[in-house]
Amino acid sequence: GRVMKEGLFQDRENRESLLELARFASTHDAEQQTTLQEYVQRMKPGQDAIYYLSGDSRKKIEASPHLEAFREKGYEVLILTDPVDEVWTQSVSEFGGKKLQSAGKGAVALGTEEEKKQAEEAREKKQQEFGSLLECLKNRLREYVKEVRLSNRLTTSPACLVSDTHDMSPQLEQMIKAMGQELPVVKRILEVNPAHPVLAKLQVMFDANKDDPALGDYAELLYGQAVLAEGGQLPNPGQFSKLVADLMIKGM
């Protein structure tokens, strides 16, 4: 429970014992909780991390685009919905020699070593194909994001937002701000799905006219969609609403 989880960052002397006792919800079972040791025993060949994702509710986490590749490959992910989860995961880096890694942070490489190698080769090929477009999208969104890159997480969604490996999660950032503390703006990374038709269409537009102002509008729509998909708040709801309405008119 929550009280035991507080010990994971307050009681360093007994942290390992508490980690063995702690129970967590996960994608493995909708009802039964799991220990970290049970999770490790179910890990896939070549898996070197215990994955987790935090959020307001199980329903929101399970609908997150961050889990698409994990679900497709059958990787288990811990579902963390207690506010204290945002704190202890900053203090605990591993269990049983396996690192703890957020499914919403950093780069993700799933599968065997051979599968990872093939995925990286495919990503590099796509990077050459979409490199100039990604730089264009980054320039259009520089107020909001630090980078636009191809994603290994996404299988069906066009885009998602991820944090750098050592950046705090959006949930922790909100908690700290709610306590009245000021924080510097931390820009996140927009990942786009290289297999999604939206990116192919944007590439056609970019090839036809790299200065097309519509590229900026679509960049904002992609960003706004990624924000909404994780339950976040749009920086400019009015502008996003107008862009959606304009797009609807063009499509009718």
Side-chain angles (χ1 to χ4, degrees), residues 133 136-142 144 190 202 205-206 209-224 239-240 243 250:
L133 171 63
C136 172
L137 297 178
K138 174 185 174 181
N139 290 334
R140 302 296 179 107
L141 296 171
R142 58 184 176 273
Y144 309 118
L190 181 67
L202 286 174
M205 290 180 60
F206 181 80
N209 179 10
K210 65 180 181 180
D211 296 318
D212 189 339
L215 285 167
D217 293 341
Y218 285 119
E220 288 197 37
L221 283 170
L222 267 181
Y223 174 77
Q239 172 67 5
F240 183 81
L243 290 173
K250 292 176 182 178

Side-chain angles (χ1 to χ4, degrees), residues 219-234:
E220 288 197 37
L221 283 170
L222 267 181
Y223 174 77
Q225 187 178 10
V227 171
L228 293 175
E230 64 177 19
Q233 296 183 341
L234 294 169

Side-chain angles (χ1 to χ4, degrees), residues 11 13 15 34 58 64 71 92 106 117 142 159 162 166 181 183 189-191 202 228 230 234-235 239 241 247:
D11 187 357
E13 184 177 344
R15 176 179 292 169
T34 183
R58 181 181 187 115
S64 170
R71 187 178 295 111
V92 179
K117 180 180 177 181
R142 58 184 176 273
V162 301
H166 301 295
Q181 297 186 34
L183 289 173
I189 299 165
L190 181 67
E191 288 194 349
L202 286 174
L228 293 175
E230 64 177 19
L234 294 169
Q239 172 67 5
S241 178
L247 183 62

Side-chain angles (χ1 to χ4, degrees), residues 80 106 122 124 135 147 149 159 165 190 197 213 228 243 250:
L80 307 182
E124 289 178 356
E135 189 65 25
E147 183 182 355
R149 70 187 184 197
T165 304
L190 181 67
L228 293 175
L243 290 173
K250 292 176 182 178

Side-chain angles (χ1 to χ4, degrees), residues 41-55:
Q41 292 171 353
R42 293 190 292 264
M43 287 172 63
K44 297 288 185 181
Q47 182 178 347
D48 59 0
I50 298 171
Y51 293 104
Y52 67 88
L53 192 62
S54 58

Side-chain angles (χ1 to χ4, degrees), residues 10-232:
Q10 292 182 340
D11 187 357
R12 294 178 180 271
E13 184 177 344
N14 295 299
R15 176 179 292 169
E16 291 303 315
S17 297
L18 292 173
L19 280 172
E20 292 177 1
L21 291 170
R23 301 291 191 273
F24 306 94
S26 88
T27 56
H28 176 70
D29 192 299
E31 302 294 335
Q32 297 294 322
Q33 293 188 320
T34 183
T35 65
L36 293 180
Q37 185 59 48
E38 290 168 340
Y39 178 105
V40 170
Q41 292 171 353
R42 293 190 292 264
M43 287 172 63
K44 297 288 185 181
Q47 182 178 347
D48 59 0
I50 298 171
Y51 293 104
Y52 67 88
L53 192 62
S54 58
D56 296 336
S57 69
R58 181 181 187 115
K59 184 177 180 180
K60 286 185 179 180
I61 291 174
E62 289 184 325
S64 170
H66 294 116
L67 296 187
E68 290 178 359
F70 293 89
R71 187 178 295 111
E72 182 181 72
K73 290 184 174 293
Y75 275 60
E76 181 176 356
V77 178
L78 300 178
I79 296 175
L80 307 182
T81 57
D82 289 333
V84 70
D85 291 326
E86 299 295 339
V87 183
W88 75 260
T89 51
Q90 303 298 310
S91 303
V92 179
S93 60
E94 66 171 41
F95 172 81
K98 305 293 184 181
K99 64 181 178 180
L100 266 71
Q101 180 175 335
S102 171
K105 284 187 178 183
V108 166
L110 305 179
T112 64
E113 289 304 318
E114 181 60 28
E115 289 172 333
K116 292 177 184 177
K117 180 180 177 181
Q118 292 176 357
E120 180 59 22
E121 289 175 350
R123 191 198 67 80
E124 289 178 356
K125 183 177 179 180
K126 288 290 186 180
Q127 183 69 36
Q128 294 178 0
E129 179 181 347
F130 294 114
S132 297
L133 171 63
L134 297 178
E135 189 65 25
C136 172
L137 297 178
K138 174 185 174 181
N139 290 334
R140 302 296 179 107
L141 296 171
R142 58 184 176 273
E143 181 181 353
Y144 309 118
V145 302
K146 65 171 72 175
E147 183 182 355
V148 179
R149 70 187 184 197
L150 298 182
S151 178
N152 287 329
R153 287 178 173 82
L154 301 172
T155 60
T156 57
S157 298
C160 71
L161 286 167
V162 301
S163 302
D164 251 345
T165 304
H166 301 295
D167 286 347
M168 68 177 64
S169 68
Q171 292 83 6
L172 181 58
E173 187 176 348
Q174 290 173 8
M175 286 174 56
I176 294 175
K177 287 181 177 178
M179 294 187 291
Q181 297 186 34
E182 294 293 327
L183 289 173
V185 175
V186 179
K187 294 182 180 179
R188 299 174 71 197
I189 299 165
L190 181 67
E191 288 194 349
V192 293
N193 184 351
H196 200 281
V198 164
L199 196 61
K201 292 284 188 180
L202 286 174
Q203 184 66 55
V204 171
M205 290 180 60
F206 181 80
D207 290 339
N209 179 10
K210 65 180 181 180
D211 296 318
D212 189 339
L215 285 167
D217 293 341
Y218 285 119
E220 288 197 37
L221 283 170
L222 267 181
Y223 174 77
Q225 187 178 10
V227 171
L228 293 175
E230 64 177 19

